[in-house]
Each structure stands twice: as structure tokens, then as C-alpha cells.
């Protein structure tokens, strides 16, 4: 049976993969087992955040060295999903997802963490944020679910997609070529790309039907949402990269995943509840021993478009000095880190259509405990 | 007996005092009762944050109109302590502290919230961040405690001081005049001013003795701290403005104050504990009914100087794009707001020597409940 | 005959009008002569820039004191057009435009600087950035030209308009009221408001005809532009405020105005040319003596939408950390200040439809020299 | 004889070296000829600017591939000096410095551009910004001058040094090890490192003597300066990297270098003068044909510490939202680009002790013209 393992590693800067290198050198991880990486780098998370490209280049060069396969091939096989911006108490880190086949292992739990990945074709600039983009994502998500051998869609808990977006330069090039990008504004484009990703996940998970939306629904009809979609967007990718996480009886392993919707940026209850789903108590903070069971924390959040949080005006959307996504990441990470008791959490902004409007989602991977343990 | 009341009011922008105006017009507040204002405006909190000056000018013009006394006099009598920066989920708001004498009121509680204020002489530019500054603060704090009729120093729970600082311009002027400012760097000057304020509070509260420190101790010996000091610094004040909050049997009223040290930016326990001190339960969030008892939440925090929070690297101090104080305010406000359930909280950065190194403090004012209520 | 005077004054902070106060106290300016103020405050120039409101409040309170007329009336009579953001070498300052009737003055020059002002009705949130907004501006501009007694439209050299825009809050309110704002994005709204202002000026100056555009032309058809329009937008105004500057034989006075289009952000030739129009030589910098003749420098500029300046990629539009308008203001101000030899210049971003696409305009007011002088 | 060539190349992002790759593939440049790279990447230029590390990693991997030598060796042999931050009209680009031996070439000019490089030993964290650091730089500069075969120190026109600095993390590590870093503040450390670099250049060029300064002189005695020093500082280097540029009769080639001090940020005269030194006229802008002769423009600048430019207050030092170095780079680049007529110019902030206080320097490399050409 297949076993999933997750290693959460710190970095000194976006080009520092020494922690992974050490684990490979020590034999803890075999390079061939690495199937995906999800991490937080210390950039600004915007169009001009190159910490993601820097990390990716370094990771792929490292794996290329160990695997003796060209970088150009690896970047089409191993999703590397990075969210820039470690505002406030967040700590730059990356989670390495590994799959091993351990034929002889005694079965420990009825089901366990399952991982699947997929890559779409490149998305043309003029498709970004439109139905063609949605369908491209949906198709890749379905492929990843199949790869993960997850039989029931209910057992999918987290679908990470990294979508390409439009820079000012790409937009200009498309226009010159007679195409009409959905927008030439890079930040706006990132938002449309995230919306397309969320619609694609919702479509693949049967949360919506193909007739439920058209191009105009993106960034407009916020009743359409997937509570299991986590979408990033960045200049450094050209196709949609997908990582599906769920639980499956086809997998053995000690890890398990759960998720909850966050109704808004103050929804501490969702954090406590998702931990409870995994048998971890927070009163008010997870005790150090239990915290050791937590392998990965994945959060999406969003500055409320309507300008208020629980009835009181916030200033995130009107701030010219700090991008609204940086604001909300810092706030929600402060809350999640306070409950969890540490800052190595993946909190990503831009949660349009990913969970309730103005809220988002939280997923946690933790080791299971045997009954009676 | 004297009664303290606190009104927490929202603003649409830093020049919007309409909520206070309405309360005065309706007769809920008499203008003469207003003794202090503490608030959060939506600036950046730095040297070039003029939202504080704008709010203060508007407030004083308003009170001047109702009181028929000149603005120049009012600004020397009514401390208006503002912290700029409503990062993340914080909502711009201000708390109006009022004192009324209600001779006929039946005594309801053994003790209640007591308020005292004081102003020091102007602090010369070259004194900012030095012993003369510390002593100027201490003297004003002692005066405010006496004004508040708080007999035991243990009953002081929160001392807010607003200290003047040095701008590039003021520093240049002082140097031209043959003086030596402690620093010409405006941000550094704000930090020294806050340190002097904290030392002054500690001195007044007998937490340290005059021989325990010299000029070099400021921003250097972080074992010296006052867990009840909250210091702001800004270009818009020239003398130290002090507001002392505590509980006293000389006061009647429904309000009461408590405080706790926060050991670091993840200390959710301190938040839950200070609420428990006031009989308010958070599991994990304060229920709406109990939240209605909360009149004011005052928090100081600080990006850990040593570059780590609970062993994991943070990036606040190395970020050129977002000031470290803006980072930490956003993170801690996210945590406190999540427990309290709303964003009208005063979270101020720059907590040097105010509570544990890398941490800070939280004080909450809430209405008391009669036994059996 | 009427005489126009312009006083360029420095400020220590956005609430500092002491330089004007001193001139009034000394009798140099009579408060009743002040008809308009145009200035640069040291905010960020965005939706959350409150330095403009702070300055305006302070100015109006000052004039109210001298004129014994209520502030509410003055703000509807005296345009106070502020552009936030003194990036780089720009120095915070304001130009006070005064009109005096000096019946006995000997005529010195055939024509001289003429000033006219006007205010439109408030612009409803849902009209911002649409034809109704354009027409409202055009009507006010025509009124101001008439007030200025400028007979030929060719003699109009600079039309400053300050337009209201939409904040997240106003947009939400309009939507609740069943209206459809052109956009809910505050920055986008400021851009649409500026576009409407530029179209309005072009319409009033007969540069375009009413049938030449529809709502879709704004921020889309950049062939439509007025090389004499300078539009600001901000949250602090509700109606369009207009200041028209030109030359007229109906005025006496030593000042004169000229303007030039800037073809792009590197168009140093336009700067040298507009100075030459006024008989001032720059080789490469204006000599101190000639610089003393310059009374006011007004510049509009814009980060090129197409992502390049003279064929080379710029990064202004993709920068999440610094707003693109702050980038371009700093660059163009560096160039203009280098030619002029000082930093008290009004350089305002957001030049959509104001001069050539990717460029902008420069207008200079300088004292005339008698023939032979 | 040796010939120096300089290729100024554009990049689409900090990891894009495709322009260089193409020149090597086409045979225009042989990889072994590359001796140094100086460029501008589109980061923020601060401690947390990783675009420099990203570019360097990409460059070294590229050269390693062509040269079949390990990256670890190349980074100790080829200085790659990057300045982050392409504010305003600056365009991300890099200049590749190549040396070829062309034995058969006919001598064209009496002297020509000469290039020398050197690397110091790593600088311990506690030495950064102290005399040991100064001497380490001076020694490396002397070595580079010798390598460049420049016989007279007067013929040295530009000395670029990249110095290591202290991050919050490195400072903490040093303190733990019982060392005392000059400062723990990363930005302050970058300034001290630049000061040490400038003192080192001045020492090597005999502009100052060893007894002229002590540790306290750095960032304090601004009468000490080198008008030919250009110092950058960054987290990604551990030793001092030096590139010396001058003219020498030992070199053949069409290029020549000149430099001028800039007295302040408005010193357009220095720009025109340095071009005149190379026979290039700017009135006011360099004509396209002459612009084609310009191979490289190198500028250092600094926000005036005293808070004023030519008597008028600037706001760069008090701005919490935009780093002062980003402000000044944008302003000075706007001026230089306006004269030169394009944005591919290297403008680097942090010019402490590099040229006049509040000013800086400009160096230009251009092709020479035969007499009569």
C-alpha cells in the first residue's frame, strides 16, 4: 500500500533548501518520493514576488541533481505551490509531500492521507479568468483525484491549485497579438485566475454544475464557492498545477486530514473544530505534546469585500501602502498561530469563491492516534 | 462619588467625530465630562502618520465649540492618545473616557474604574529618550494616580503615556542649536521615547528604583519593564500626556479594569485570563451577550527583537516594505479580535520595556455584574 | 482691473498653515483675496490619504477666523485642490491664488494671468466615472472660464479639477440603495473619476464634441485627451471643484502662464520649452535669478499603461509594495526639479486622458519681464 | 592587448538571463570572457530583497553550464554586483563586462576602458562596519587595480564594491557566540557596511590616510568620502566583491569611462558634464545617435540626511511606507534617464561617504570616436 508522509521544513531565505537536502542526504527522504511541495516564502505575494520563482528554481535544481533528470521535466511533474508573504508571526517554511510504497507494512488505520497531483496544459493569456480556464482546472483536479485513488468526493478535503495570471507585459503582448485579456491589471488578473481555479475545483467536486455559471459569475456571484479549494496565482507558472489531499482506504500511513470553512476572519471556532476533528484539543492553545502531532496547517482567507468584519469597518481595501492580501494574511495567521502555538502555517490570501464570502477555509494534517493510545 | 464611563465609538475617517457629537447633542455625554480619549486611527503609525493630528484637531475644535474654551487650552487638559494603524481586522474607533459626579447614586460595587490624567512640561528635543525624559514621565504619572484617587499602586492596571519624539527636522534644528539629540533617525527616536515612557511608568509604580538604570539602559536592558505601561509616541505632541486607569473604592460605577502580561505574540492564554479576571468566558470566543459587557480593549505588542517567535524565524524586522510595527499590530490584533469577536480593539506596537521582551500586555475594561446577576 | 497673485508657501506638516497666517497677519495677503489653493501634501495620494482633508480643514478654519464666515460656506466657494504624495525630492507646499482689484494700477503688460473658479453640484456615487460626471465637470469648467473673463479658449492653459470618487464604503452604500457604481474598487474609482474630469475639460474647451465618446471611452480610448486638464480625485470632496488658469487682457499683473504636453516620462524637452515660452532659459538648469521668477510649477504624469518607457520595461504597474502613482510622481518630479532647481513643484499622478498616453503636461506660472528688462 | 567590452542587457524578471544566453549561443560573447556583472533587479533593495540572490544563482548556473566549472567556484571569481529596486522609470537590466585578448588588433585609441576584479576573505559579522572591514575592502581594491593594469590612481573612475551586511538572524547568532555586532538593525547594518566600503575605496585610492578615521567616523564624519566609490550591501554575499573601472594605455578597445561627483539630487550639471567628458552632448537630452554610444550609466545617490534639498524640506527620511533609498533612487533615476533618454541606468541608493554628503556620483562608459569621426 501507499503511504503519504509530510515534512514541514524551515528556510533561512527563499533559496535555502538545505533542510530538505539534509533529509535526503541522511536517507530520511528518497528524492524520488517527493511528489509535491507547498510552502510560504517571504515575498509580498503579489505579481512582483520573485521569491516563489527563486525557491522553485532552487528546489528543482536540487531534485534534478539527486534524480538525474532535467529540471525542465521535473517542473512539469512535481507541483511546487508557494504563497508569498509571511506577514506578522508567520514563519517561512515548506511542506514536502512524499509517497512511498511499503508493501510489507501492517495496516494501522482504516484510512489515511492520500495525495494526488496533476498538471494542465498551459493557459493562454486571453483564457485566464474565463470558462476555458475553469474547465482546464476542473479537468486537472479530476485527474489528480484519480491519481490519489480517492473513491468518494466527500473524502477530498483540500485541493490546492496554482494558476497562471497576466502581467502588464503579457497583457500587452496578447493585445498586440489581437487577443483580449480579461484584464490588463496584474492584481485584478490574479484575482480572476483564483476565481477560475475555485470554480474549477467546485466543478470537479460536483459542487456546481457546468450550467451554473458563465464568465460574468467570476468575482461577481460569490454564492458560488468551493469550501475545499485553495487557489494561488503567480507569474511563475504557465499551466494549472494541482495537488489533491484527502483520506482514502487505499492508503496506509499515520496521517489524516480534516477541513472546515471559516465564516469570516474572526472564526476561531473553525480552527478549534478542525483540530477537534483530528482529536486535538485547544483550550485555548494546543498543548505542546499535541502540537507535535500536527504536520501541516493550510488556510485561505480574504479581506471582506464589503468593507466590514462583523459590522465594523475595516481599512484593508482602502490602504494604498499595504496590499489588502498582506493585511488579511497577517491577521488570520495571528489568530491561527495563537491557537496552534506556532508560526509555521500556510496562510494564503485571495480566497475569492474559496469558502464563504469574506471568510475562507482551514485544513489540518495530523498524525492519527491508535484507539487507546 | 465619582463615576467613570467609557464610550467606544466608530469613525468613518480620522476627521470624523460625528458619533461623539451626536452623543453630546442627545445629552448622553456632557462635553465637560470628557477627560481623555484613546483611539486607533487608520494611518501607518509612524513619524509621517498625520491621522493622529487630524483627529486631535477635529476633537478639540468640537469640544471647544461645546465648552466655549479655546483649543489651545483644551489640548493641555484633555489627553488624546492615538495610535495610528488599523492593520488587518482592526476597526478605526476611539474610546471616550468621562467622569461624572453623581452624589445621589446608590453604591453598587465595592470598587470601580478610576481615571486620572496629567500633562508634563514640554520635553526638549535633546532630552527625548534620556533620564530627564524618564523623570518627566514619572512625575506626571504620580500626579495622575493622585488625581485618580487610587490609593494602592497595585490597583493601577494601565498607564497610557503619549511621548513626543524627534523628526528629522527637529533633530536638525537641535543640532544647529548646539544640542545633541539621542538620535536623528525618526523611527529610532520613537523607540527611545517609548522606552523613556515605560521607564517613567515603572519608576512611578515603584517597579524600579532611580538607581536601577541609566541612559544606556533604554532599548538595551530589556529586563527592565513595566507590565502596566502602554506608551505611544508621535510627532504631534510636545509634552508627555498621561492617562492612568485602575480600580478604586473612591469611585462608583459599573466598570472595572483588569490586565495581564502577554509573554509573546502567541499568548492567547493571557487574553482568556484577563477576560476571566472580569468574569467573562471565552471558549473559544466570547459569546455575543458577554461581549456586550466589554467597554474597551487595550493591547501593547512588539515584534520579537531576536527574530524568532517560539523558536521559528519571523520576517517582521527584515521587511523593507512593511514596517515591523504594522506587522505585529496586525498579527496580535487578529488573535485578540478572534477571541473577543470584534475589531474595535486598541492594539499598539512599540512595546519596548512594556511587558515581557517580545510580548506586551492586555488590559480590558468591562461592566461588572452584581452577585447573582 | 483685476490682478492675480500667487504665493508658494512651505508647510511643516499637513496641518501647518502658519506661512499663510503670517502673510495675512503682515497684511501681504488679505484673506478675502484668496480664491483657490493648489498644493502637495505628504500623504500617499491614495484613497486612504487623509493629509488632504487635514490640510483643508485647517485652511478653512483659518480663513473662517479671518473672514468671519462659516467653514461650511467657504469650502463651497474656495477650491482647495491637493495632491497627496511628495515622493523623492518634492517638498510639501501650497500655492495660494489671490485676486485683487487695483483700479489705479498702471497697465504693465498686454495680458496677464487670469483665474476663475467654480463648483458643481455633488456627484452621486453611481454617476462617478460616467457621462453625467463628464457633463457636470464641463459645465463647471465653462462657468470658471467665464468667471476668469478669458475670451478665447486658446488662452486657457491649465484647468485643475478635483473630482469625488468612490470608497469601499460609499460603493457598498450605493449598492444597498439599489444603485450600480461604475466600480467598487477605490483605486479604480479614482481613475474613472479622473477620466471623467479630463473628458469634461476637453468638452468645455471644444477639444472633443459630445458625440465623440460614451461611458465605455473612459479609461479605454486614450486618443481622447485634453492637454490642458489636470485632474485629481479624492475621498474628501463630493462635488467637482474647478480652477481655470489662463492669460487674459482683462487682467493686469506681472504673472503669466504657459503649458506644454509631455510626450512621456522622459520628456525633458517639454520642461525646457515651457520655460522658454516664458522667457526663462535652462541650460541645463534654470539659474537662481531666473528661478526667482517662477511662481508655480504644475505637472501631471502617468505610469505608461503599456509597461514600457521608450521601449524598455518599467516595473511600476507590477509593484505591490509601492503604488504606481507614487513611482511615477517621484520619477517625473526628479526630472522637473532637476531642471527647475528646486523641489516645490506640484507633480500629480493619475494623468489618464490628460495629455498624451503615458505622458502628461506641465504648466508654469512666472513673472513677466518688461521688454528690455 | 586586452580589450574590454560591455553588454547592457534587459531581463523579463530576476531569473531571466536569456539575453546573455543568446549572445553566448550566437558566439558574440564567449562565456570565459565574462569577468563581472553589474545590474539592477526589480526588488526593493533592502535586506529582504531576494531578487539579487535569484539573479546570481541563475547567472552562475548558466556560466557553470558553459564553462563546465562548479558554481561554488564561479561565485568566488566573478563579481555579480546587483542593486535591487527599479523605481520609477528605471528598467531592470544588467551590464556584462568582458575581457578579451586580441593580439592582432590595431591600436585605435591611446587608452581605453580597463577592468579589474577581486574578492576579499569573508567578513565576520562582528567586523561589519568597523576598521577591519575597511581594511579588507582597501586590500581587495588595490588587488583589483593591479589586475586592471591601471598605473595611475587618477585613471581609476569607478570602484564598485558589494559588501556583506548583518541580518537580524546573523546578529542574533553573533551575539550568542559572544560577539558584538556593530548593530542588530539590518538596515542600519547595510548603511555601516556601505560606509566601510567607501572608506576602503578612499584608503586604496590614497584619498584618505589610515590615521584619518576610526570606527566612530563611519556614518558620522561625512567630510570623509570617495568620489569614485559605489558601494552596495546585501545579505547574499559574505565577502567583499570588487570591480574597478578606469582607463589605461595597457588596454585597447573602443570604450572609455568618465565620472563626476553629484553635489545633490538636483545636480543635472554633473550629468551633462560627465557626458561632455566623453564627447556626448545633451541639450537638453542626448540625441538618439549619440545615445547609441553609451554603454553603461552608473549612479550613486542618497536622501539628504539633513532633511532638506536646496533649502526645502523633503519627506524621504520620515516616510514609514516607502524606504528612503527607494525614494531617492526613483527621483535621481528620473533625472538621469531624462537627460540620457532611457531607463536602463544603474542608480543605486545608499551613497554614504560616496561623493558629497547628500549627493553622490555618476560614471558613464561610452564608445570613443576617432578624431574627425
Amino acid at each position: 500500500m501507499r503511504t503519504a508522509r509530510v515534512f514541514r521544513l524551515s528556510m533561512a531565505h527563499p533559496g535555502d533548501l538545505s533542510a530538505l537536502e539534509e533529509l535526503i542526504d541522511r536517507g530520511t527522504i528518497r528524492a524520488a518520493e517527493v511528489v509535491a511541495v507547498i510552502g510560504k516564502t517571504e515575498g509580498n505575494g503579489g505579481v512582483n514576488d520573485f521569491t516563489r520563482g527563486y525557491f522553485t528554481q532552487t528546489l528543482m535544481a536540487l531534485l534534478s541533481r539527486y534524480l538525474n533528470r532535467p529540471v525542465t521535466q521535473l517542473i512539469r511533474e512535481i507541483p511546487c505551490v508557494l504563497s508569498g508573504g509571511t506577514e506578522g508571526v508567520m514563519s517561512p517554511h515548506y511542506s514536502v509531500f512524499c509517497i512511498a510504497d511499503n508493501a510489507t507494512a501492517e495496516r494501522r488505520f482504516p484510512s489515511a492521507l492520500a495525495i494526488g497531483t496533476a498538471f494542465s496544459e498551459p493557459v493562454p493569456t486571453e483564457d485566464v479568468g474565463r470558462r476555458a480556464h475553469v474547465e482546464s482546472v476542473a479537468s486537472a483536479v479530476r485527474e489528480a483525484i484519480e491519481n490519489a485513488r480517492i473513491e468518494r468526493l466527500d473524502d477530498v478535503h483540500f485541493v490546492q491549485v496554482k494558476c497562471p495570471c497576466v502581467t502588464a507585459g503579457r497583457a500587452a503582448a496578447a493585445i498586440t497579438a489581437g487577443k483580449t485579456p480579461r484584464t490588463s491589471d496584474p492584481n485584478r488578473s490574479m484575482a480572476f485566475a483564483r476565481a477560475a481555479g475555485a470554480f474549477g475545483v467546485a466543478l470537479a467536486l460536483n459542487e456546481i454544475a457546468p450550467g451554473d455559471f458563465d464568465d460574468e459569475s467570476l468575482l461577481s456571484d460569490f454564492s458560488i464557492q468551493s469550501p475545499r479549494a485553495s487557489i494561488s496565482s503567480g507569474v511563475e507558472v504557465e499551466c494549472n498545477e494541482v495537488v489533491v489531499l484527502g483520506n482514502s482506504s487505499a492508503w496506509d500511513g499515520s496521517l489524516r486530514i480534516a477541513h472546515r470553512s471559516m465564516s469570516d476572519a474572526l472564526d476561531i471556532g473553525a480552527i478549534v473544530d478542525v483540530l477537534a476533528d483530528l482529536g486535538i484539543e485547544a483550550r485555548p492553545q494546543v498543548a505542546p505534546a499535541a502540537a507535535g502531532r500536527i504536520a501541516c496547517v493550510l488556510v485561505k482567507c480574504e479581506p471582506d469585500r464589503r468593507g466590514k468584519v462583523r459590522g465594523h469597518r475595516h481599512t484593508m481595501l482602502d490602504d494604498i501602502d499595504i496590499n489588502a492580501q498582506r493585511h488579511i494574511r497577517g491577521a488570520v495567521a495571528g489568530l491561527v498561530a495563537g491557537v496552534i502555538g506556532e508560526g509555521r502555517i500556510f496562510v494564503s490570501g485571495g480566497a475569492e469563491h474559496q469558502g464563504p464570502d469574506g471568510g475562507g477555509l482551514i485544513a489540518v494534517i495530523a498524525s492519527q492516534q491508535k484507539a487507546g493510545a
Side-chain angles (χ1 to χ4, degrees), chain A residues 28-30 34 46 48 70 78 101 113 128 130 153 157 175 188 201 207 215 218 228 250 254-255 269 327 329 349 360:
Chain A
T28 308
I29 295 177
R30 285 192 306 118
V34 176
N48 69 322
I78 302 172
D101 280 299
L113 179 66
V128 168
R130 294 197 167 113
L153 290 183
H157 283 270
I175 290 166
R188 190 85 181 137
V201 173
E207 293 167 348
D215 279 11
L218 282 78
R228 292 174 281 178
S254 64
L255 296 173
H327 268 292
R329 281 195 301 260

Side-chain angles (χ1 to χ4, degrees), chain A residues 303-308 314-320 324 327:
Chain A
D304 196 290
R305 289 174 306 108
R306 294 151 297 189
K308 293 192 173 182
H314 69 76
T315 60
M316 296 183 264
L317 298 173
D318 283 347
D319 193 343
I320 299 295
H327 268 292

Side-chain angles (χ1 to χ4, degrees), chain A residues 160-180:
Chain A
Q160 176 68 52
V161 186
K162 183 84 173 222
C163 293
C165 68
V166 174
T167 60
R170 285 182 193 171
I175 290 166
T176 302
K179 310 291 187 180
T180 308

Side-chain angles (χ1 to χ4, degrees), chain A residues 38 156-160 228 230 243-245 257 298 346 361 363:
Chain A
I38 299 180
V156 174
H157 283 270
F158 190 78
V159 182
Q160 176 68 52
R228 292 174 281 178
S230 166
V243 183
V244 163
L245 302 176
I257 186 169
L298 302 158
F346 176 92
L361 66 93

